[in-house]
Amino acid sequence: MRRAAFRLLAPIFLLFPLAANAQDWAKARLDASPRHREYVPIKHSDRTVQTFVVYPEVKQKVPVVILIHEIFGLSDWAKSMADDLAAAGFIVVAPDLLSGFGPNGGGTDSFSGTDAITKAVSGLNPDTVTADLDAVADFARKIPAGNGKIATVGFCWGGGKSFAFATHRRDLSAAFVFYGPGPADVSTITAPVFGFYAGNDARIGATLPATIEAMKAAGKRFEPVTYDGAGHGFMRAGVDPTNTNPANKTAREQGFTRLVSLLKDMKTASISTTNNKTLAKKSTKAKPDPLCHSTTEMAAIM
């Protein structure tokens, strides 16, 4: 009887280590990297932002990418994404915007699980986030191995922050937005903005027509591309071994290629702010949700 009960309970117990190590695949990718990486505490006012920095193995000075993490914080995937961009030839600085807000003053790694991280990121003060990103951008511009050009690349929640930061920071060479909403006021944007959206993401897709119209009316350069069949979070899902949607893998590969190509253009000259070029398809029938991921997707990540 006891053996039978144990056999029934065993699969349940096995779920706990799986939940705790949901991104072991991302950590394994990162651990196998030959590139130099370090954590740099960036201080401003009364805050210290722990920032993950990865260097490419190149001899020339290169642009610096400020990577803004998803609503899941500075996860192993976010750090692995930073390493992928460094492998492509860029210096990447990825701040943990939960620095100091976790248990005992910790950051992302100090929280008990995905749900707690999501709640904490959702509750961050926008002004604090902007101040943190300002400090990180100032640091990025002064990296000796950098060529003076900086760009933001954000995903999900971070995609929205990448767009919003472009309304504030005038020395960006470009802002890259992965499946994040646009800000209400785009009039102060000086950098070109490049969007990457999922075809099966009506919630964010529903916000896209208004963003396209606002950027066009303000005379700003905005080039959004929608990847058919992909779901929200495809840059992560596309490299996740448990992914069951081939379109996510395709979108990840095409999106990464496009991102790298645009970043490489920054090596010789800032990308000019020319006329708007819209490549995205319009999605309909969805209202924006404050969270970047559905409950189903969060469960899958856990």
Side-chain angles (χ1 to χ4, degrees), residues 23-24 77 106 123 260:
Q23 289 192 343
D24 274 358
W77 172 78
V260 169

Side-chain angles (χ1 to χ4, degrees), residues 33-65:
S33 169
R35 283 163 288 283
H36 176 80
R37 54 189 186 271
E38 61 191 20
Y39 285 91
V40 177
I42 297 177
K43 298 181 180 180
H44 70 96
S45 59
D46 61 345
R47 277 187 52 69
T48 298
V49 182
Q50 295 297 334
T51 303
F52 183 72
V53 183
V54 194
Y55 289 87
E57 295 182 323
V58 294
K59 63 181 181 180
Q60 73 275 16
K61 293 188 176 184
V62 296
V64 180
V65 175

Side-chain angles (χ1 to χ4, degrees), residues 100-140:
F101 295 122
N104 301 313
T108 296
D109 291 344
S110 69
F111 286 88
S112 58
T114 304
D115 205 37
I117 293 170
T118 300
K119 184 177 180 180
V121 172
S122 299
L124 287 174
N125 185 316
D127 292 338
T128 300
V129 172
T130 298
D132 285 353
L133 291 176
D134 257 338
V136 172
D138 290 342
F139 166 80

Side-chain angles (χ1 to χ4, degrees), residues 56-284:
E57 295 182 323
V58 294
K59 63 181 181 180
Q60 73 275 16
K61 293 188 176 184
V62 296
V64 180
V65 175
I66 301 165
L67 187 149
I68 309 175
H69 58 67
E70 296 177 294
I71 202 166
F72 302 116
L74 190 63
S75 62
D76 287 327
W77 172 78
K79 288 181 276 190
S80 176
M81 185 71 227
D83 185 72
D84 286 345
L85 284 170
F90 310 100
I91 300 168
V92 185
V93 293
D96 183 353
L97 297 169
L98 284 178
S99 295
F101 295 122
N104 301 313
T108 296
D109 291 344
S110 69
F111 286 88
S112 58
T114 304
D115 205 37
I117 293 170
T118 300
K119 184 177 180 180
V121 172
S122 299
L124 287 174
N125 185 316
D127 292 338
T128 300
V129 172
T130 298
D132 285 353
L133 291 176
D134 257 338
V136 172
D138 290 342
F139 166 80
R141 285 188 61 82
K142 297 174 183 176
I143 294 177
N147 68 1
K149 298 186 185 299
I150 59 174
T152 54
V153 177
F155 305 88
C156 173
W157 177 87
K161 294 302 178 184
S162 178
F163 215 145
F165 193 56
T167 69
H168 165 79
R169 188 86 185 193
R170 294 177 177 269
D171 59 349
L172 296 178
S173 291
F176 299 90
V177 178
F178 283 83
Y179 30 86
D185 183 2
V186 300
S187 62
T188 56
I189 292 177
T190 57
V193 180
F194 300 92
F196 302 71
Y197 299 93
N200 292 350
D201 185 14
R203 179 179 58 82
I204 292 297
T207 70
L208 193 51
T211 300
I212 291 171
E213 183 57 35
M215 290 289 280
K216 183 178 180 180
K220 308 301 180 181
R221 185 179 179 186
F222 181 44
E223 294 187 13
V225 172
T226 293
Y227 298 89
D228 289 342
H232 186 90
F234 61 78
M235 290 299 287
R236 171 176 35 76
V239 289
D240 187 337
T242 66
N243 172 56
T244 58
N245 181 4
N248 285 334
K249 185 175 186 295
T250 299
R252 201 277 181 187
E253 292 171 351
Q254 293 179 353
F256 187 78
T257 298
R258 179 184 179 225
L259 172 61
V260 169
S261 177
L262 290 167
L263 285 169
K264 284 183 177 179
D265 286 344
M266 293 166 44
K267 288 185 178 180
T268 53
S270 296
I271 303 172
S272 61
T273 52
T274 58
N275 291 332
N276 194 54
K277 180 182 178 184
T278 301
L279 301 176
K281 294 181 178 179
K282 295 181 180 180
S283 300
T284 57

